[in-house]
Amino acid sequence: MTEPAQPAKAAAAPSKPATGPLSAAEQDQLTTLQARQAAAAVAAGEAVVMKVGGGHESITYGGVTVTTEPTTVPAGMAAALVEAAADAGVTITQES
Amino acid sequence: MAGPPLVYTPPSYTTTNVLYGVGILFTAIPGTALPSDQNLGVASAWTALGWAYVGATEAGVTVTFNPSTQDINVEEQPTPVAVIVNTATLQITCSLSEETLTNVNLAWGNGGSVAVTPAGAGQPGKSVLTLSTNFASMACAVIGKNQSGFARVLSVPSVMSAGQVQTAYRRAAQQRLYPLTLNAVCPFSQITWTDLTAIATS
């Protein structure tokens, strides 16, 4: 006697959307995706890379924080950031 | 012989539609994406995308829509034949209770910058807010809980902070407050309310 073929459970069970805080793995994945998105934005001219120096740790303007590490910034905010940095006596450089 | 009885049957109302509870105000640079529908009520999903929570407020968040109208009148009729919207403002206001340089800047037009200097030899660590009248626009969102217990989100893609800010330094009467007035500066068609109504079916 042959039994009817059972559908594969994995294929039949729909994946349930995750809820709650991100796990460490998900956070890593998100960080990777955001880095990829930022690189694509720079390549497309929608963003630029800036960093601060001259003894300062960071400058925040309009919700954007530029640190001593290369930081991706929306291209439309670059000029305003340079002006704000000049007003605050902060050295800021644009790398791309 | 008397006619049918006169009956008075008012419509029923829905008490569960009467909502209350705080609104959560987030701001971000214009163009910042909203969380996915599934995560609209998850705070960490907002902050992960770059949204900043303004923190505690004195009396919650208030949303004020204020259209001014122009009546179109004709001599032959005492009431207007049409009422046209002349101007309309949308304001999101609250009094910020958390005195951080970020919040001070937010209330004072969001035009300043905060420069951070790390502690070093002979140099204490410090943050300096340098003010400016070049107010920067931002996006904002107000999240509340709807009658289903899910998130209801008011999203305004572009607002500017412009309001009178008066802060009282009192010994014990109250905390120092920073009134925040966010004025919508985008077309009304870009402002949305999103109401989560049911969980996904799979």
Side-chain angles (χ1 to χ4, degrees), chain A residues 14-15 17 19 30 34 55-64 74 83-84 88 90, chain B residues 29 38-39 42 44 48-49 110-118 130 134 136 200 202:
Chain A
S15 61
T19 57
L30 178 63
Q34 285 176 329
H56 288 94
E57 193 170 271
S58 67
I59 184 167
T60 301
Y61 172 80
V64 176
E83 187 178 340
V90 174
Chain B
I29 61 173
Q38 179 68 31
N39 291 311
V42 181
S44 58
L49 289 168
N110 196 37
S113 64
V114 178
V116 178
T117 303
T130 303
N134 292 327
S202 63

Side-chain angles (χ1 to χ4, degrees), chain A residues 33-77:
Chain A
L33 288 172
Q34 285 176 329
R36 183 176 141 198
Q37 188 178 38
V42 172
E46 296 165 358
V48 296
V49 176
M50 307 182 92
K51 69 176 184 178
V52 298
H56 288 94
E57 193 170 271
S58 67
I59 184 167
T60 301
Y61 172 80
V64 176
T65 298
V66 179
T67 69
T68 53
E69 297 296 320
T71 308
T72 305
V73 172
M77 297 202 65

